[in-house]
Amino acid sequence: MANRYILQLTQLASAYRAAEARVVGAFFAVPRQKKEHLRWLKAQGFKEYSAIKPILDALTQLYPSIDNGIDRHEYTELTDKLADETKHARLVMDLVQEISGKKITPRDLTWLPQDRKLAKVRAAYSKSYAGLLHGSEKVTSREIRRKDETLERAAITLTEGGGGALYQVCSRLKKRGMDAKIAGVFEEILRDEMEHKDSGARLLASLIEDDTSFRRAAQIVCEISGQRLRMRNEQFGFPLSEAEMKSLDKRARQSVTGL
């Protein structure tokens, strides 16, 4: 029974990944000017950069407790995430600088309204994870040590990065001109992300025991992923209409029966 639940949850996440890819693909379906690319890249740069400090703070707070309340394997995973986010922020910011021809700093990056809303949606289920992903909450060791939101954190992890939808679309762009530069950066990010693409499902496998826990996880996946769609649509200058967005969200939800 548990395996059936996990299959349904991964199917749900995959449906939302396809929906997110549809949003990004709609943007790239027509030729774009440099300023349009800079807009979404600055927003993406913020998403990568904003995770660095909270992860660094968390590592500092948790360091004295390695194997004394904090498992060393979990600590290692957090250090790996810090390395990835730092690298990805550098790659995107370097790309922005190359395309714009101007030196940029983190202050030039953009936190858009729908991404702010996404942070709030995540925080409703886990303040610590919202803080680590957005820098929107102060991450404390007490919050990180909480044991009463394990399922919520696993469900959030299943939605993280939209399953790599943005990276996949960008990595497949035509290898010429500005598209080639974008493809090169996001192909490298995609390789990093694919190393832990199944971590959310693995975590949920030991937590989903019945219909109640399944529905709780599915609710989180739907709510966060639905907001991710709106975040991406805003990031790329609203290539899809509100009606199209509602249709995408509805189809993704209906990919799993009973939701």
Side-chain angles (χ1 to χ4, degrees):
M1 182 66 74
N3 285 340
R4 179 173 67 84
Y5 287 140
I6 299 304
L7 285 173
Q8 286 184 293
L9 288 170
T10 54
Q11 181 179 331
L12 183 62
S14 294
Y16 272 107
R17 180 179 68 240
E20 196 167 316
R22 172 78 182 278
V23 175
V24 180
F27 172 84
F28 286 104
V30 298
R32 298 292 179 177
Q33 297 180 354
K34 181 171 71 173
K35 65 179 181 180
E36 292 176 288
H37 284 299
L38 288 174
R39 182 183 188 278
W40 75 263
L41 283 168
K42 286 181 178 180
Q44 188 62 32
F46 179 87
K47 291 176 70 65
E48 307 290 355
Y49 175 81
S50 64
I52 296 174
K53 188 177 185 303
I55 297 175
L56 191 59
D57 289 346
L59 287 169
T60 301
Q61 291 184 52
L62 296 174
Y63 175 76
S65 302
I66 296 176
D67 282 342
N68 184 25
I70 296 297
D71 184 89
R72 60 180 176 273
H73 301 95
E74 294 178 359
Y75 193 86
T76 300
E77 289 178 6
L78 204 52
T79 63
D80 290 342
K81 184 170 181 59
L82 175 62
D84 281 348
E85 298 295 351
T86 304
K87 174 186 174 182
H88 299 167
R90 171 182 59 80
L91 287 170
V92 176
M93 291 175 71
D94 284 353
L95 181 59
V96 170
Q97 188 162 298
E98 181 179 1
I99 292 174
S100 67
K102 300 177 182 178
K103 181 176 177 59
I104 70 158
T105 70
R107 287 182 294 180
D108 297 307
L109 304 177
T110 311
W111 194 11
L112 295 173
Q114 290 298 328
D115 197 32
R116 292 176 185 269
K117 187 173 180 180
L118 177 60
K120 292 180 180 179
V121 172
R122 280 175 168 150
Y125 296 109
S126 173
K127 288 185 178 180
S128 61
Y129 267 37
L132 290 173
L133 292 170
H134 296 272
S136 57
E137 304 279 342
K138 183 177 180 180
V139 181
T140 65
S141 59
R142 181 179 179 181
E143 278 291 331
I144 294 174
R145 291 169 184 266
R146 287 181 60 171
K147 302 298 183 183
D148 60 342
E149 56 179 33
T150 308
L151 185 145
E152 286 78 6
R153 291 177 178 182
I156 291 171
T157 301
L158 186 62
T159 70
E160 190 175 344
L166 167 64
Y167 312 134
Q168 289 172 351
V169 173
C170 289
S171 68
R172 295 169 184 161
L173 294 174
K174 295 178 181 178
K175 302 300 189 288
R176 63 172 182 266
M178 196 178 304
D179 281 1
K181 296 176 181 178
I182 294 170
V185 165
F186 286 93
E187 187 173 11
E188 186 168 352
I189 295 176
L190 177 62
R191 284 197 297 270
D192 293 339
E193 293 294 328
M194 293 303 286
E195 291 181 6
H196 35 255
K197 68 181 181 70
D198 297 323
S199 57
R202 287 196 299 270
L203 290 168
L204 284 168
S206 62
L207 299 170
I208 304 298
E209 300 176 343
D210 51 31
D211 195 60
T212 300
S213 55
F214 163 73
R215 288 186 176 279
R216 173 66 170 171
Q219 172 194 341
I220 295 169
V221 171
C222 286
E223 189 170 351
I224 292 177
S225 298
Q227 181 55 32
R228 284 192 60 86
L229 291 181
R230 296 175 183 86
M231 175 272 294
R232 285 294 187 219
N233 202 42
E234 178 187 47
Q235 180 181 356
F236 283 90
F238 302 99
L240 296 185
S241 67
E242 181 61 26
E244 289 172 312
M245 292 296 294
K246 288 181 178 179
S247 178
L248 278 181
D249 195 359
K250 182 178 180 180
R251 285 204 302 272
R253 286 175 181 266
Q254 291 177 339
S255 66
V256 173
T257 57
L259 295 183

